[in-house]
Amino acid sequence: MDANGLESLPANELHERAVRYAVRHGDLGFLWELLKVIPAAEAASGHANETANDLSKVSALLSDAIAAGEGKLGEALRPVYIDYLRKHPDA
C-alpha cells in the first residue's frame, strides 16, 4: 500500500497490520520499539497515569502493545505504524 493509502487508514487498522506483520515475521525489533514508545504516546494521549504504571510493569506494556491501536493511544502511535508499514509494503 502506498503512503497516501496508509495515511487514510484508521489507527486501529494501522496497528493491526503492523503488529500482525511483525509477529508473523518475528520482528522483535519493531515490537520492542513499540513497547518503548507506548509510555510517551500514553502521556501524549492524556493518560499520564498509565505512563508511570507502564514504566514499572513490563506486563502492562505487553498488554498495551496488543491493544495499542485504539482511541487516543492509537492516534498517538499512528506515525510509528505508518513508518513501519512503509518499510514493509507487503504488510
Side-chain angles (χ1 to χ4, degrees):
M1 178 173 284
D2 68 12
N4 291 334
L6 290 174
E7 293 288 344
S8 68
L9 293 175
N12 63 338
E13 187 169 341
L14 291 168
H15 165 80
E16 289 299 321
R17 286 180 181 225
V19 171
R20 182 176 52 238
Y21 183 88
V23 168
R24 189 172 54 236
H25 290 88
D27 190 348
L28 297 177
F30 172 74
L31 296 172
W32 182 247
E33 186 62 29
L34 182 59
L35 292 175
K36 291 190 319 187
V37 299
I38 284 174
E42 293 226 341
S45 65
H47 297 101
N49 59 333
E50 290 293 323
T51 302
N53 291 337
D54 287 350
L55 291 174
S56 65
K57 297 181 182 176
V58 173
S59 63
L61 283 172
L62 292 172
S63 175
D64 284 349
I66 300 302
E70 301 295 325
K72 291 180 182 179
L73 178 57
E75 290 302 321
L77 291 168
R78 282 180 64 82
V80 175
Y81 299 135
I82 289 171
D83 180 58
Y84 183 72
L85 292 168
R86 282 182 178 150
K87 293 175 185 172
H88 303 282
D90 57 327

